[in-house]
Amino acid sequence: MEKSFEIENLSIKIYEQTKEMGAAAADYVTSKLNDAIVKKGGANLILATGASQFSFLEALQTKEIDWKKITVFHLDEYKDISESHPASFRKYLKERILNRVAPKKIYFLNGDAANLQLEINNYEEALQAHPIDIACIGIGENGHIAFNDPAVADFEDPKLVKVVELDEACRNQQLGEGWFPTFADVPKEAVTLTITAIMNCKAISCVVPDERKAQAVYNSLYGDISTSCPATILRTHPETVLFLDKGSASLIK
């Protein structure tokens, strides 16, 4: 590790290499999961997707974790795309980790459900019944956490899950990461856990690699706590660690 410091409640850890950053985040998440298993016989986990999570998920599945005692949720899903779509987050999580580790139970957020409001209600009920021990998230290029873009982010959101409109910066990020062939193909809406749902989690691991995220990281750490950069709210959470690599930390002096 190159550097470690705190801003308000937030712990920041900077690593030279992306792989090293992902391994450190996996160690942190493993310790939280194993602590919960020791204390109450099981653990509840939220997983994120996207290119930012590759190194972390690769490392997490190598750790000593009793997955048969872990219930998994995920952060968000595009509205109206099937699980077989190349950009589906359900597909991503199954292929990159869940099929390999076989958790006790997985709650998938089905953005293409025939009755989406019923799907949201059921997912909210499941979240309430499974207080989350640790959420694994990232920060978007526009400062979003989950799909809470600046225009739709609400720090006092009464909901745990909602349908949101994706802003242009967010949709361009999805295109830039290679999930869709053209901008027109990127969905305009998604179903997401709200900021309230994320902040309710006992601990948060926030993994943010890559120089294209450097401005969002800088804004998250040094800007006013405001929905104009939703990730700024993480500075108020009692137990969040932000894992950065050299690229994403490049604007930090």
Side-chain angles (χ1 to χ4, degrees):
M1 183 165 56
E2 270 204 339
K3 190 175 179 183
S4 177
F5 61 102
E6 292 184 358
I7 293 179
E8 293 158 60
N9 289 351
L10 182 62
S11 176
I12 300 106
K13 298 183 186 298
I14 301 171
Y15 297 85
E16 182 74 20
Q17 303 294 332
T18 306
K19 189 170 184 178
E20 189 188 359
M21 173 210 67
D27 284 338
Y28 175 68
V29 172
T30 299
S31 72
K32 293 296 179 188
L33 293 174
N34 288 337
D35 285 350
I37 289 169
V38 168
K39 285 176 187 165
K40 56 191 178 80
N44 301 316
L45 167 70
I46 291 174
L47 290 176
T49 55
S52 66
Q53 303 300 305
F54 290 164
S55 65
F56 161 66
L57 291 175
E58 194 176 310
L60 186 64
Q61 58 200 275
T62 70
K63 303 298 178 185
E64 289 292 321
I65 298 168
D66 188 350
W67 285 95
K68 291 296 176 200
K69 294 180 178 173
I70 294 179
T71 299
V72 177
F73 292 81
H74 66 130
L75 268 182
D76 43 30
E77 180 60 281
Y78 296 109
K79 185 171 177 279
D80 297 330
I81 68 171
S82 72
E83 192 185 309
S84 61
H85 189 287
S88 163
F89 295 146
R90 289 161 286 170
K91 175 183 172 69
Y92 172 116
L93 286 172
K94 285 183 176 182
E95 291 178 351
R96 290 193 172 271
I97 186 166
L98 296 178
N99 286 349
R100 301 173 192 177
V101 300
K104 172 187 174 183
K105 171 78 178 170
I106 306 166
Y107 287 92
F108 283 119
L109 194 50
N110 297 298
D112 58 343
N115 185 337
L116 190 54
Q117 191 54 55
L118 179 62
E119 177 74 9
I120 287 170
N121 295 345
N122 290 341
Y123 208 79
E124 284 190 325
E125 284 177 15
L127 278 170
Q128 288 168 329
H130 298 82
I132 302 298
D133 297 291
I134 185 155
C136 304
I137 70 170
I139 296 174
E141 291 174 28
N142 63 358
H144 73 210
I145 48 177
F147 270 136
N148 297 284
D149 290 336
V152 297
D154 182 353
F155 291 163
E156 306 291 335
D157 208 311
K159 299 176 181 176
L160 296 179
V161 183
K162 67 181 180 181
V163 176
V164 294
E165 192 171 331
L166 303 179
D167 72 17
E168 190 171 320
C170 176
R171 293 177 68 214
N172 270 315
Q173 179 182 326
Q174 311 311 315
L175 176 66
E177 289 185 7
W179 303 110
F180 298 93
T182 72
F183 183 75
D185 292 306
V186 183
K188 293 179 180 177
E189 291 182 300
V191 191
T192 185
L193 268 63
T194 62
I195 289 174
T196 299
I198 294 167
M199 294 297 284
N200 281 347
C201 301
K202 291 173 193 169
I204 300 172
S205 166
C206 188
V207 174
V208 189
D210 203 340
E211 195 168 358
R212 66 193 168 86
K213 300 283 184 79
Q215 189 63 57
V217 166
Y218 182 87
N219 294 346
S220 301
L221 296 182
Y222 302 109
D224 292 337
I225 294 175
S226 156
T227 53
S228 63
C229 179
T232 53
I233 195 66
L234 297 175
R235 287 165 21 210
T236 71
H237 190 273
E239 193 161 348
T240 296
V241 181
L242 176 61
F243 295 91
L244 306 174
D245 66 4
K246 193 167 78 170
S248 59
S250 59
L251 296 181
I252 297 170
K253 303 303 179 203

